[in-house]
Every structure is written in C-alpha cells, then in structure tokens.
C-alpha cells in the first residue's frame, strides 16, 4: 500500500497514555528527582489536547545540585521529542513548575 492510500478512520490516544509518556520522560531526565505529588489524587502532570496538539503543566522536584534552567530546558525538549516520536502528536506549550528541591540526607 502506498502512502497516498489512506484507510478511513481515526486513531485516538488516551490521556493516560500521554501522561505515562510524560512521567517516564521526567523520570529519565538527569537532574530531576521526581514528579511532585501533593498527596492528593491529582498527578503532577496536567495535560490538554486540542486538535492533535498536546500542552502540559508538569510539576517536579529537582535534585539540589541541578542547574534549574538547564534541566527544565532539557525536560521540555525530551518531552516534546517523546510525544512526537511515540504517538506522532504535535506539542504546544510545556510549562515546567519546580515545586521543591531534594537535598541529600545529612548524618
């Protein structure tokens, strides 16, 4: 089948799939300690989709020795690439919210 032949129909990606992609990417990005969780049922990832474009607010905790701006720029780049590569959707805004820093335990 050539690329010009298109079978009619739609593909839908569940929001939970997008959230999982974002969470996995956050956890794999150097300098990020974890996704912020304020002990409610809400995740640290808030997604919106509009006409195939994904936008997100991501709440994170960084490692104390991290360069905040560098880590956040890398995180935006990594999330955009993951969403585009895995599900083929475009990315709008990716707002990174640094909620805290994790410091090493002192004995």
């Amino acid at each position: 089948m050539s690329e010009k032949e298109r079978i009619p129909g739609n593909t839908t990606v569940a929001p939970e799939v997008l959230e999982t992609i974002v969470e996995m990417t956050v956890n794999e990005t150097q300098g990020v300690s974890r996704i912020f969780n304020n002990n409610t049922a809400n995740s640290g990832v808030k997604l919106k989709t509009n006409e195939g474009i994904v936008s997100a607010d991501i709440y994170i905790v960084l490692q104390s020795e991290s360069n905040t701006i560098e880590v956040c720029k890398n995180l935006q780049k990594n999330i955009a690439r993951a969403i585009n590569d895995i599900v083929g959707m475009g990315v709008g805004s990716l707002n990174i919210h640094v909620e805290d820093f994790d410091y090493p335990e002192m004995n």
Side-chain angles (χ1 to χ4, degrees):
M1 183 185 303
S2 73
E3 275 190 49
K4 292 183 181 182
E5 294 179 45
R6 184 167 188 273
I7 299 172
N10 293 317
T11 301
T12 319
V13 178
E16 295 83 8
V17 171
L18 296 170
E19 188 173 324
T20 298
I21 292 168
V22 171
E23 288 173 351
M24 290 176 59
T25 305
V26 168
N27 291 329
E28 293 172 355
T29 300
Q30 187 171 357
V32 177
S33 181
R34 57 192 161 85
I35 293 177
F36 181 73
N37 183 345
N38 60 359
N39 296 323
T40 66
N42 297 329
S43 166
V45 177
K46 309 290 182 228
L47 294 169
K48 293 180 187 173
T49 58
N50 186 19
E51 297 182 16
I53 303 296
V54 179
S55 296
D57 285 288
I58 301 113
Y59 299 84
I60 60 171
V61 177
L62 293 179
Q63 297 168 353
S64 63
E65 67 278 357
S66 299
N67 178 316
T68 302
I69 299 299
E70 183 178 312
V71 172
C72 291
K73 284 182 181 180
N74 287 336
L75 189 54
Q76 288 171 315
K77 180 180 70 173
N78 294 346
I79 291 170
R81 182 176 32 227
I83 289 172
N84 189 269
D85 289 352
I86 295 170
V87 294
M89 295 177 77
V91 176
S93 62
L94 296 174
N95 303 308
I96 310 297
H97 305 271
V98 178
E99 296 294 315
D100 203 355
F101 289 90
D102 276 343
Y103 293 92
E105 290 185 30
M106 300 173 95
N107 292 335

